[in-house]
Amino acid sequence: MSIRVMLVDDQVLLRTGFRMVLAAQPDMEVVAEAGDGVEALQVLRSTPVDVVLMDVRMPKLDGVEATRRICSAPNPPKVLILTTFDLDEYAFSGLKAGASGFMLKDVPPGELLAAIRSVHSGDAVVAPSTTRRLLDRFAPMLPGGSGQPQLKELERLTEREREVMVLVAQGLSNGEIAARLVLSEATVKTHVGRILTKLGLRDRVQVVVLAYETGLVRAGGGGGAG
């Protein structure tokens, strides 16, 4: 079954370019488009979508608030934020709002397609090293003191799971974590799955954000509390 994709961007030419790239894929289908967040929310009420490619800077309702509203709904589609500039503060807000990852708009087509498939599968964070750099820059903007209740949540994790969580937050892939801890990739994937379940998190992006919020990982990539 094809991945149903929605394009949300106020620039028609960009949507056209993305549509052409996606239309050439046998496993993808552009089922909807919108020029701003308000229109996107309206379309989603009547159109089943698997993955939303979401611009951040749009009129009427920006991509961050639109993402927040989409992700708060029951069984929401995955949201992939598209930014013009690397380390855009809007991208960080988008991750906090529930997006499953972000890409730059000038990403090579092959990477964009791989990102859509990854987000759809819920398997891997898109460009974890870039996510880490973004969080390193904007982690100081997190609300102070918000991590204390969540530190109690971390007590549910085993020592190994905390170790894996730190490495996920530092931007390592499952393969890199496996090499670092001398484990199989399948074992690492199992640990990540248990972390998500125990902490009630949706995906690896939320693992990264929580690790920064609790101080388990600090800006700069080092381990923190624990």
Side-chain angles (χ1 to χ4, degrees), residues 67-68 71 77 79 93-101 202-203 205-206:
T67 296
R68 185 176 292 110
C71 293
V79 177
S93 300
L95 294 179
K96 290 282 289 175
S100 294
R202 186 191 62 251
D203 55 31
V205 169
Q206 291 192 341

Side-chain angles (χ1 to χ4, degrees), residues 95 100 122-136 154 157 159-181 183-185 187-196 199 201-212 216-218 220-223:
L95 294 179
S100 294
D123 189 25
V125 173
V126 179
S129 60
T130 310
T131 302
R132 173 187 162 188
R133 293 205 317 274
L134 181 119
L135 285 163
D136 282 347
L154 296 183
L157 303 181
E159 183 176 346
R160 175 65 87 188
E161 287 164 354
R162 286 170 67 97
E163 199 172 6
V164 170
M165 184 173 177
V166 167
L167 296 176
V168 168
Q170 291 177 346
L172 275 65
S173 67
N174 283 357
E176 291 167 334
I177 294 171
R180 180 79 63 91
L181 300 180
L183 300 170
S184 69
E185 278 197 56
T187 299
V188 172
K189 190 171 182 177
T190 297
H191 282 311
V192 172
R194 288 175 179 163
I195 292 167
L196 296 177
L199 300 181
L201 303 176
R202 186 191 62 251
D203 55 31
R204 292 168 71 108
V205 169
Q206 291 192 341
V207 171
V208 176
V209 171
L210 180 61
Y212 275 77
L216 187 64
V217 170
R218 303 194 189 286

Side-chain angles (χ1 to χ4, degrees), residues 4 19 24 29 51-52 78-79 81 92-93 102 122 127 139 170 181 190 195:
R4 298 173 303 236
R19 190 191 321 119
E29 179 185 6
V51 177
V52 178
K78 303 288 187 180
V79 177
I81 294 284
F92 176 76
S93 300
F102 74 96
Q170 291 177 346
L181 300 180
T190 297
I195 292 167

Side-chain angles (χ1 to χ4, degrees), residues 14-96:
L14 272 176
R15 295 206 311 266
T16 300
F18 287 137
R19 190 191 321 119
M20 291 175 64
V21 171
L22 270 58
Q25 303 305 305
D27 62 339
M28 295 184 191
E29 179 185 6
V30 176
V31 297
E33 295 186 32
D36 59 67
V38 171
E39 185 181 359
L41 292 171
Q42 291 172 341
V43 172
L44 283 171
R45 292 191 188 105
S46 58
T47 306
V49 172
D50 297 315
V51 177
V52 178
L53 295 187
M54 178 75 73
D55 186 22
V56 285
R57 303 186 188 191
M58 298 180 293
K60 296 184 182 178
L61 187 68
D62 66 39
V64 173
E65 181 58 29
T67 296
R68 185 176 292 110
R69 296 186 192 182
I70 290 170
C71 293
S72 64
N75 302 313
K78 303 288 187 180
V79 177
L80 182 58
I81 294 284
L82 296 174
T83 66
T84 304
F85 303 105
D86 200 359
L87 299 179
D88 189 330
E89 67 274 17
Y90 286 99
F92 176 76
S93 300
L95 294 179
K96 290 282 289 175

